[in-house]
């Protein structure tokens, strides 16, 4: 068969072949490795994947499109299932304050934190926000990410939240990395509503959400359910309103205090509950019973200088699928590298290299609502994959500090060759 691309002579092809659903328990560690493998691509799809000899025998392409991976690794492009990528300005000084002993919540209570990024977002021009966000997205691609979930949440009024979602959509159109947008109008109480929380919850549920559903491409609604931010009942009001409008649900839950976010996520059958640093036995039970994916963000714990990571081992053992994301944001996790997140998940959370790769591909794809054709390499699925100049997928978490990416394909097009970026 004539194809557009063949990549052959990969020491390992990480396929994640198997059921089209999130993986947990022992399945979380099954990668479907093919040794000395190759992949053939036509249009935006994978047409064949298997041993190099077989693929080269059965398929032909132009010589300049038949590429030798030279013993490297082929694996799905990463799906980053939790980012706040579209923001204006950075918060280096808060990092220095944390190094001097102040906590994230103390800095936030003193007017820093999310609210300072809200002020920056509101006063920045569209062009400025797009330029800054594009650079971050280039770096993500250079680390192997081909799809990312992106939240609004630095606008916190109707016009600014809609602007954020439109900017995400514009970035999605312009950049090879695909973006899936989430409405996070309940990221914080804006300065104007600090004294009237109920009015802000009502504004989000009754005014913002209907416009988000009617005027934007947002697929999900998320709430920062946390002590001092949105409590369990406020979170429920907003998420139920979103559910009635047909949006999928996500929850920032149990990051600092277990106030019922995981239980609520389970009850509402959210697609994911994220962070989960302090989740209780009851919270985990609710997640499992509700079929919720745990999106864990160890880059945040690391960047906040904390040492009590989410209990991923227990979650996997109890049958909760674990996905991993960067949480890329200017405050608690200025991280754009999925490999760094995966290394932290191995070293600080006791996951195996195979489990973290599943967490960054198939499970992350389902947590982003794109699991049907991404996060796995099988004939018929989207040709989104990366080729590493490294002898094993374990190099991702073993050989730290830079990117091993040699090439990246997105929708069947080669969108990055090493040396282009990062
Ligand atoms: O996921 N937790 C809430 N939101 C972000 C922090 C955003 C910020 O500090 O700007 C998070 O960690
Ligand atoms: Fe977040």
């Amino acid at each position: 068969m004539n194809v557009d691309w063949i990549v052959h002579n990969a020491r390992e092809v990480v396929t994640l072949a198997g059921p089209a659903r999130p993986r947990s328990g022992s399945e979380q560690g099954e990668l479907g490795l093919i040794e000395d493998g190759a992949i053939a691509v036509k249009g935006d799809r994978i047409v064949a994947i298997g041993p190099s000899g077989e693929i080269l025998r059965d398929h032909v392409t132009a010589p300049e499109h038949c590429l030798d991976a030279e013993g490297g690794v082929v694996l799905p492009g990463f799906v980053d299932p939790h980012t706040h990528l579209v923001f204006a300005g950075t918060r280096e000084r808060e990092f220095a304050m944390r190094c001097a002993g102040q906590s994230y919540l103390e800095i936030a209570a003193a007017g820093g934190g999310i609210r300072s990024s809200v002020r920056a977002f509101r006063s920045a021009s569209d062009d400025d926000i797009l330029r800054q966000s594009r650079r971050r997205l280039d770096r993500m691609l250079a680390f192997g990410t081909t799809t990312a979930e992106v939240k609004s949440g630095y606008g916190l009024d109707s016009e600014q939240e809609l602007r954020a979602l439109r900017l995400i959509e514009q970035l999605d159109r312009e950049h090879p990395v695909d973006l899936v947008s989430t409405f996070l109008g309940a990221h914080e109480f804006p300065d104007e509503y600090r004294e009237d929380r109920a009015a802000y919850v009502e504004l989000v549920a009754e005014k913002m959400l209907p416009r988000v559903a009617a005027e934007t491409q947002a697929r999900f609604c998320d709430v920062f359910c946390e002590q001092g931010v949105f409590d369990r009942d406020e979170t429920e009001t907003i998420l139920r309103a979103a559910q009635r409008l047909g949006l999928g649900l996500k929850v920032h839950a149990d990051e600092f205090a277990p106030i019922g976010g995981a239980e609520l996520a389970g009850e509402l059958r959210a697609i994911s509950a994220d962070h989960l640093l302090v989740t209780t036995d009851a919270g985990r039970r609710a997640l499992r019973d509700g079929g919720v994916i745990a999106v864990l963000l160890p880059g945040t714990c690391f960047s906040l200088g904390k040492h009590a990571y989410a209990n991923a081992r227990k979650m996997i053992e109890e049958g909760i699928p674990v996905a991993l994301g960067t949480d890329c944001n200017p405050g608690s996790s200025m991280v754009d590298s999925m490999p760094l997140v995966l290394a932290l998940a191995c070293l600080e959370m006791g996951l195996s290299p195979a489990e973290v790769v599943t967490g960054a591909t198939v499970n992350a794809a389902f947590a982003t609502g794109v699991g049907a054709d991404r996060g796995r390499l099988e004939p018929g699925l989207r040709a989104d994959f990366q080729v590493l100049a490294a002898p094993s997928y374990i190099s991702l978490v073993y050989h730290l500090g830079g990117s091993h990416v040699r090439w990246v394909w997105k929708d069947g097009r080669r969108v990055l060759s090493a040396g282009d970026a990062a």
Side-chain angles (χ1 to χ4, degrees), residues 28 76-81 322-324 338 342 355-365 375:
Q28 174 115 21
F78 295 127
V79 178
D80 188 340
V322 166
L324 295 158
M338 285 293 277
L342 303 192
E355 288 171 329
V356 300
V357 168
T358 302
T361 54
V362 56
N363 284 3

PDB file of all heavy atoms in Angstrom, residues 28 76-81 322-324 338 342 355-365 375:
ATOM      1  N   GLN A  28      -2.714  -0.539  33.978  1.00  0.00           N
ATOM      2  CA  GLN A  28      -2.030   0.766  33.896  1.00  0.00           C
ATOM      3  C   GLN A  28      -0.554   0.584  33.516  1.00  0.00           C
ATOM      4  O   GLN A  28       0.065   1.498  32.971  1.00  0.00           O
ATOM      5  CB  GLN A  28      -2.177   1.520  35.231  1.00  0.00           C
ATOM      6  CG  GLN A  28      -1.399   2.821  35.317  1.00  0.00           C
ATOM      7  CD  GLN A  28      -2.229   4.090  35.440  1.00  0.00           C
ATOM      8  OE1 GLN A  28      -3.382   4.068  35.844  1.00  0.00           O
ATOM      9  NE2 GLN A  28      -1.625   5.228  35.108  1.00  0.00           N
ATOM     10  N   PRO A  76       3.004   7.509  21.565  1.00  0.00           N
ATOM     11  CA  PRO A  76       1.971   8.509  21.279  1.00  0.00           C
ATOM     12  C   PRO A  76       2.412   9.894  21.749  1.00  0.00           C
ATOM     13  O   PRO A  76       3.143  10.015  22.742  1.00  0.00           O
ATOM     14  CB  PRO A  76       0.767   8.038  22.115  1.00  0.00           C
ATOM     15  CG  PRO A  76       1.008   6.589  22.371  1.00  0.00           C
ATOM     16  CD  PRO A  76       2.498   6.424  22.440  1.00  0.00           C
ATOM     17  N   GLY A  77       1.967  10.937  21.044  1.00  0.00           N
ATOM     18  CA  GLY A  77       2.158  12.278  21.577  1.00  0.00           C
ATOM     19  C   GLY A  77       1.491  12.344  22.944  1.00  0.00           C
ATOM     20  O   GLY A  77       0.456  11.710  23.171  1.00  0.00           O
ATOM     21  N   PHE A  78       2.087  13.095  23.858  1.00  0.00           N
ATOM     22  CA  PHE A  78       1.452  13.211  25.173  1.00  0.00           C
ATOM     23  C   PHE A  78       0.177  14.036  25.074  1.00  0.00           C
ATOM     24  O   PHE A  78       0.090  14.971  24.278  1.00  0.00           O
ATOM     25  CB  PHE A  78       2.393  13.903  26.171  1.00  0.00           C
ATOM     26  CG  PHE A  78       3.630  13.124  26.484  1.00  0.00           C
ATOM     27  CD1 PHE A  78       4.890  13.713  26.359  1.00  0.00           C
ATOM     28  CD2 PHE A  78       3.551  11.807  26.907  1.00  0.00           C
ATOM     29  CE1 PHE A  78       6.040  12.996  26.644  1.00  0.00           C
ATOM     30  CE2 PHE A  78       4.695  11.077  27.202  1.00  0.00           C
ATOM     31  CZ  PHE A  78       5.946  11.681  27.071  1.00  0.00           C
ATOM     32  N   VAL A  79      -0.788  13.677  25.899  1.00  0.00           N
ATOM     33  CA  VAL A  79      -1.965  14.517  26.099  1.00  0.00           C
ATOM     34  C   VAL A  79      -1.799  15.121  27.495  1.00  0.00           C
ATOM     35  O   VAL A  79      -1.668  14.384  28.471  1.00  0.00           O
ATOM     36  CB  VAL A  79      -3.265  13.693  26.013  1.00  0.00           C
ATOM     37  CG1 VAL A  79      -4.476  14.588  26.276  1.00  0.00           C
ATOM     38  CG2 VAL A  79      -3.385  13.030  24.641  1.00  0.00           C
ATOM     39  N   ASP A  80      -1.753  16.438  27.572  1.00  0.00           N
ATOM     40  CA  ASP A  80      -1.630  17.101  28.879  1.00  0.00           C
ATOM     41  C   ASP A  80      -3.048  17.448  29.325  1.00  0.00           C
ATOM     42  O   ASP A  80      -3.678  18.356  28.760  1.00  0.00           O
ATOM     43  CB  ASP A  80      -0.756  18.343  28.739  1.00  0.00           C
ATOM     44  CG  ASP A  80      -0.418  18.970  30.085  1.00  0.00           C
ATOM     45  OD1 ASP A  80      -1.140  18.689  31.068  1.00  0.00           O
ATOM     46  OD2 ASP A  80       0.552  19.747  30.157  1.00  0.00           O
ATOM     47  N   PRO A  81      -3.590  16.752  30.333  1.00  0.00           N
ATOM     48  CA  PRO A  81      -5.020  16.861  30.626  1.00  0.00           C
ATOM     49  C   PRO A  81      -5.407  17.999  31.581  1.00  0.00           C
ATOM     50  O   PRO A  81      -6.576  18.098  31.950  1.00  0.00           O
ATOM     51  CB  PRO A  81      -5.319  15.510  31.285  1.00  0.00           C
ATOM     52  CG  PRO A  81      -4.044  15.176  32.010  1.00  0.00           C
ATOM     53  CD  PRO A  81      -2.924  15.730  31.165  1.00  0.00           C
ATOM     54  N   VAL A 322      -5.258   6.498  36.725  1.00  0.00           N
ATOM     55  CA  VAL A 322      -4.471   7.692  37.030  1.00  0.00           C
ATOM     56  C   VAL A 322      -3.933   8.306  35.741  1.00  0.00           C
ATOM     57  O   VAL A 322      -3.320   7.621  34.925  1.00  0.00           O
ATOM     58  CB  VAL A 322      -3.309   7.340  37.994  1.00  0.00           C
ATOM     59  CG1 VAL A 322      -2.281   8.463  38.063  1.00  0.00           C
ATOM     60  CG2 VAL A 322      -3.861   7.040  39.386  1.00  0.00           C
ATOM     61  N   ALA A 323      -4.196   9.605  35.571  1.00  0.00           N
ATOM     62  CA  ALA A 323      -3.605  10.374  34.469  1.00  0.00           C
ATOM     63  C   ALA A 323      -2.677  11.414  35.080  1.00  0.00           C
ATOM     64  O   ALA A 323      -2.785  11.742  36.263  1.00  0.00           O
ATOM     65  CB  ALA A 323      -4.702  11.049  33.646  1.00  0.00           C
ATOM     66  N   LEU A 324      -1.762  11.914  34.274  1.00  0.00           N
ATOM     67  CA  LEU A 324      -0.784  12.884  34.769  1.00  0.00           C
ATOM     68  C   LEU A 324      -0.763  14.115  33.883  1.00  0.00           C
ATOM     69  O   LEU A 324      -0.844  14.007  32.649  1.00  0.00           O
ATOM     70  CB  LEU A 324       0.615  12.244  34.792  1.00  0.00           C
ATOM     71  CG  LEU A 324       0.736  11.093  35.785  1.00  0.00           C
ATOM     72  CD1 LEU A 324       1.890  10.174  35.418  1.00  0.00           C
ATOM     73  CD2 LEU A 324       0.904  11.624  37.212  1.00  0.00           C
ATOM     74  N   MET A 338       6.023  17.504  30.121  1.00  0.00           N
ATOM     75  CA  MET A 338       5.423  16.256  30.605  1.00  0.00           C
ATOM     76  C   MET A 338       6.493  15.278  31.127  1.00  0.00           C
ATOM     77  O   MET A 338       6.272  14.631  32.153  1.00  0.00           O
ATOM     78  CB  MET A 338       4.549  15.617  29.523  1.00  0.00           C
ATOM     79  CG  MET A 338       3.211  16.315  29.325  1.00  0.00           C
ATOM     80  SD  MET A 338       2.103  16.168  30.756  1.00  0.00           S
ATOM     81  CE  MET A 338       1.376  14.560  30.441  1.00  0.00           C
ATOM     82  N   LEU A 342       6.407  13.181  34.628  1.00  0.00           N
ATOM     83  CA  LEU A 342       6.465  11.716  34.692  1.00  0.00           C
ATOM     84  C   LEU A 342       7.589  11.264  35.622  1.00  0.00           C
ATOM     85  O   LEU A 342       7.428  10.305  36.393  1.00  0.00           O
ATOM     86  CB  LEU A 342       6.670  11.124  33.291  1.00  0.00           C
ATOM     87  CG  LEU A 342       5.627  11.495  32.240  1.00  0.00           C
ATOM     88  CD1 LEU A 342       5.777  10.618  31.006  1.00  0.00           C
ATOM     89  CD2 LEU A 342       4.216  11.372  32.777  1.00  0.00           C
ATOM     90  N   GLU A 355       3.645   2.730  34.068  1.00  0.00           N
ATOM     91  CA  GLU A 355       2.393   3.327  34.571  1.00  0.00           C
ATOM     92  C   GLU A 355       2.304   4.817  34.255  1.00  0.00           C
ATOM     93  O   GLU A 355       1.227   5.336  33.933  1.00  0.00           O
ATOM     94  CB  GLU A 355       2.286   3.105  36.087  1.00  0.00           C
ATOM     95  CG  GLU A 355       1.979   1.660  36.450  1.00  0.00           C
ATOM     96  CD  GLU A 355       2.091   1.379  37.954  1.00  0.00           C
ATOM     97  OE1 GLU A 355       2.918   2.028  38.644  1.00  0.00           O
ATOM     98  OE2 GLU A 355       1.381   0.486  38.437  1.00  0.00           O
ATOM     99  N   VAL A 356       3.446   5.514  34.325  1.00  0.00           N
ATOM    100  CA  VAL A 356       3.366   6.955  34.068  1.00  0.00           C
ATOM    101  C   VAL A 356       3.157   7.236  32.578  1.00  0.00           C
ATOM    102  O   VAL A 356       2.485   8.220  32.218  1.00  0.00           O
ATOM    103  CB  VAL A 356       4.577   7.752  34.632  1.00  0.00           C
ATOM    104  CG1 VAL A 356       4.671   7.571  36.136  1.00  0.00           C
ATOM    105  CG2 VAL A 356       5.889   7.409  33.956  1.00  0.00           C
ATOM    106  N   VAL A 357       3.709   6.381  31.720  1.00  0.00           N
ATOM    107  CA  VAL A 357       3.480   6.586  30.279  1.00  0.00           C
ATOM    108  C   VAL A 357       1.989   6.389  29.970  1.00  0.00           C
ATOM    109  O   VAL A 357       1.381   7.173  29.230  1.00  0.00           O
ATOM    110  CB  VAL A 357       4.381   5.654  29.442  1.00  0.00           C
ATOM    111  CG1 VAL A 357       3.942   5.642  27.984  1.00  0.00           C
ATOM    112  CG2 VAL A 357       5.841   6.110  29.552  1.00  0.00           C
ATOM    113  N   THR A 358       1.366   5.384  30.560  1.00  0.00           N
ATOM    114  CA  THR A 358      -0.087   5.209  30.389  1.00  0.00           C
ATOM    115  C   THR A 358      -0.832   6.450  30.896  1.00  0.00           C
ATOM    116  O   THR A 358      -1.795   6.921  30.282  1.00  0.00           O
ATOM    117  CB  THR A 358      -0.560   3.956  31.168  1.00  0.00           C
ATOM    118  OG1 THR A 358       0.162   2.831  30.672  1.00  0.00           O
ATOM    119  CG2 THR A 358      -2.048   3.730  31.016  1.00  0.00           C
ATOM    120  N   GLY A 359      -0.356   6.998  32.007  1.00  0.00           N
ATOM    121  CA  GLY A 359      -0.997   8.179  32.598  1.00  0.00           C
ATOM    122  C   GLY A 359      -0.913   9.414  31.721  1.00  0.00           C
ATOM    123  O   GLY A 359      -1.775  10.295  31.806  1.00  0.00           O
ATOM    124  N   ALA A 360       0.116   9.478  30.883  1.00  0.00           N
ATOM    125  CA  ALA A 360       0.323  10.674  30.051  1.00  0.00           C
ATOM    126  C   ALA A 360      -0.217  10.505  28.641  1.00  0.00           C
ATOM    127  O   ALA A 360      -0.132  11.419  27.834  1.00  0.00           O
ATOM    128  CB  ALA A 360       1.817  10.986  29.982  1.00  0.00           C
ATOM    129  N   THR A 361      -0.741   9.313  28.347  1.00  0.00           N
ATOM    130  CA  THR A 361      -1.213   9.052  26.982  1.00  0.00           C
ATOM    131  C   THR A 361      -2.688   8.622  27.021  1.00  0.00           C
ATOM    132  O   THR A 361      -3.566   9.460  27.016  1.00  0.00           O
ATOM    133  CB  THR A 361      -0.318   7.995  26.303  1.00  0.00           C
ATOM    134  OG1 THR A 361      -0.248   6.814  27.131  1.00  0.00           O
ATOM    135  CG2 THR A 361       1.086   8.540  26.078  1.00  0.00           C
ATOM    136  N   VAL A 362      -2.917   7.307  27.140  1.00  0.00           N
ATOM    137  CA  VAL A 362      -4.306   6.846  27.023  1.00  0.00           C
ATOM    138  C   VAL A 362      -5.193   7.409  28.138  1.00  0.00           C
ATOM    139  O   VAL A 362      -6.291   7.915  27.878  1.00  0.00           O
ATOM    140  CB  VAL A 362      -4.371   5.299  26.883  1.00  0.00           C
ATOM    141  CG1 VAL A 362      -3.695   4.590  28.004  1.00  0.00           C
ATOM    142  CG2 VAL A 362      -5.803   4.805  26.781  1.00  0.00           C
ATOM    143  N   ASN A 363      -4.724   7.386  29.380  1.00  0.00           N
ATOM    144  CA  ASN A 363      -5.585   7.881  30.466  1.00  0.00           C
ATOM    145  C   ASN A 363      -5.773   9.393  30.375  1.00  0.00           C
ATOM    146  O   ASN A 363      -6.871   9.919  30.634  1.00  0.00           O
ATOM    147  CB  ASN A 363      -4.997   7.499  31.828  1.00  0.00           C
ATOM    148  CG  ASN A 363      -5.223   6.025  32.143  1.00  0.00           C
ATOM    149  OD1 ASN A 363      -5.775   5.288  31.321  1.00  0.00           O
ATOM    150  ND2 ASN A 363      -4.782   5.585  33.308  1.00  0.00           N
ATOM    151  N   ALA A 364      -4.720  10.092  29.986  1.00  0.00           N
ATOM    152  CA  ALA A 364      -4.841  11.547  29.843  1.00  0.00           C
ATOM    153  C   ALA A 364      -5.792  11.895  28.698  1.00  0.00           C
ATOM    154  O   ALA A 364      -6.555  12.863  28.771  1.00  0.00           O
ATOM    155  CB  ALA A 364      -3.465  12.155  29.598  1.00  0.00           C
ATOM    156  N   ALA A 365      -5.760  11.091  27.645  1.00  0.00           N
ATOM    157  CA  ALA A 365      -6.657  11.347  26.511  1.00  0.00           C
ATOM    158  C   ALA A 365      -8.111  11.185  26.952  1.00  0.00           C
ATOM    159  O   ALA A 365      -8.970  12.023  26.619  1.00  0.00           O
ATOM    160  CB  ALA A 365      -6.329  10.404  25.357  1.00  0.00           C
ATOM    161  N   GLY A 375      -3.882   8.955  22.114  1.00  0.00           N
ATOM    162  CA  GLY A 375      -3.265   8.375  23.302  1.00  0.00           C
ATOM    163  C   GLY A 375      -2.866   6.924  23.112  1.00  0.00           C
ATOM    164  O   GLY A 375      -2.307   6.318  24.017  1.00  0.00           O
TER     165      GLY A 375
END
